[in-house]
Amino acid sequence: MSEIQLIVIDLDGTLLNAQKEITARNIEAIRQSSAKGIKIAIASGRLYPDIVRLFNRELQVSGYKICLNGSYILNEENQVISKTRIERSLLNKIFEIAYNNEVSLFCNGLIYSVNFAGIDSDESVLNGRTLWVKDSDEFNQKLDEMALNIYKFGLHSTNLDRLKEAVEDLRALGISMVRTETYFFEGANQGINKFEGIKQVAQSFGISTKNILAIGDQENDFEMIRNVGFGVAMGNAIPAIKSVAKYITNTNERDGVAQIIHDLILKEDDA
């Protein structure tokens, strides 16, 4: 379908299989689409270095990076289009809610994540890109020491009652909260989601959202799947995503991304 001018793809559960790999068939479908002049974007909750690395090393095409669920957006040349950090005063309220509900908190900057692993944790070490803290004082100390800006956070607990209580407390503060796994929620500033990020990308080169193909599987993909012209749910997507999708493709274990790209864009080339 020649009217598709931009393909937006989620990563986990969509482009990536259970081994966190991109299959050769998915890579080839994306490269063929790019060669036809169709723009490519990855929309994920992940940090921006992960997405840049994926474009450079695996996909080997240029593309837009909608990182941290739309909180940080880069163009094809890795120049910042938009960034929306969470203010320190709000971060401290978020930490207090996580602490009081005994749930783990993951605060994502661009490169580093400051993680509070629950009130029983006494660990405070720099491990790769993760800074572990044990209380609010150390949390603020690490933010100051590393000069970190936080754009997105996550909450995790196997105690669903406490986790849901924390989520409701955060929503009462006006924070956008979405469930991305059974025991994991992600949060950002009010109004931040992947679809808002997509609109900024689309505006940067003047296309309508009706000319966008978006593919996803989880709650943080809901807005983009519902609002673009070609919203696609993976075969392994949650029911809420399938309910608003215009198309349903195969699972992430069976090259669902490649399948829908071939069905909607490359079918004539396959003939």
Side-chain angles (χ1 to χ4, degrees), residues 230-241:
F230 300 84
V232 179
M234 298 295 292
N236 51 287
I238 62 173
I241 297 299

Side-chain angles (χ1 to χ4, degrees), residues 1-8 37-39 195 198 202 205-214 227-231 246 265:
M1 292 188 178
S2 59
E3 62 262 37
I4 295 174
Q5 298 176 22
L6 168 66
I7 302 172
V8 183
I38 297 170
K39 300 289 186 180
F195 180 62
I198 287 172
F205 54 90
I207 72 165
S208 167
T209 55
K210 71 180 182 180
N211 300 117
I212 296 173
L213 165 65
N227 290 302
V228 300
F230 300 84
K246 295 177 179 63
I265 298 171

Side-chain angles (χ1 to χ4, degrees), residues 114-172:
V114 183
N115 294 354
F116 166 67
I119 63 171
D120 294 327
S121 172
D122 60 357
E123 191 173 14
S124 176
V125 295
L126 176 59
N127 178 17
R129 293 205 304 265
T130 300
L131 300 158
W132 294 97
V133 302
K134 64 178 181 293
D135 56 33
S136 60
D137 289 339
E138 191 172 22
F139 177 73
N140 281 283
Q141 179 185 343
K142 293 299 181 184
L143 293 178
D144 289 336
E145 287 177 358
M146 305 294 293
L148 293 177
N149 289 321
I150 301 299
Y151 295 87
K152 189 201 77 168
F153 67 92
L155 293 181
H156 173 267
S157 177
T158 55
N159 185 330
L160 281 176
D161 289 337
R162 298 306 299 268
L163 182 59
K164 289 177 180 178
E165 286 179 21
V167 168
E168 290 307 310
D169 289 344
L170 291 164
R171 284 175 173 159

Side-chain angles (χ1 to χ4, degrees), residues 65-80:
K65 298 90 182 170
I66 302 170
C67 313
L68 300 165
N69 288 339
S71 296
Y72 201 88
I73 305 170
L74 303 170
N75 66 14
E76 293 174 311
E77 291 75 37
N78 296 329
Q79 298 168 326
V80 178

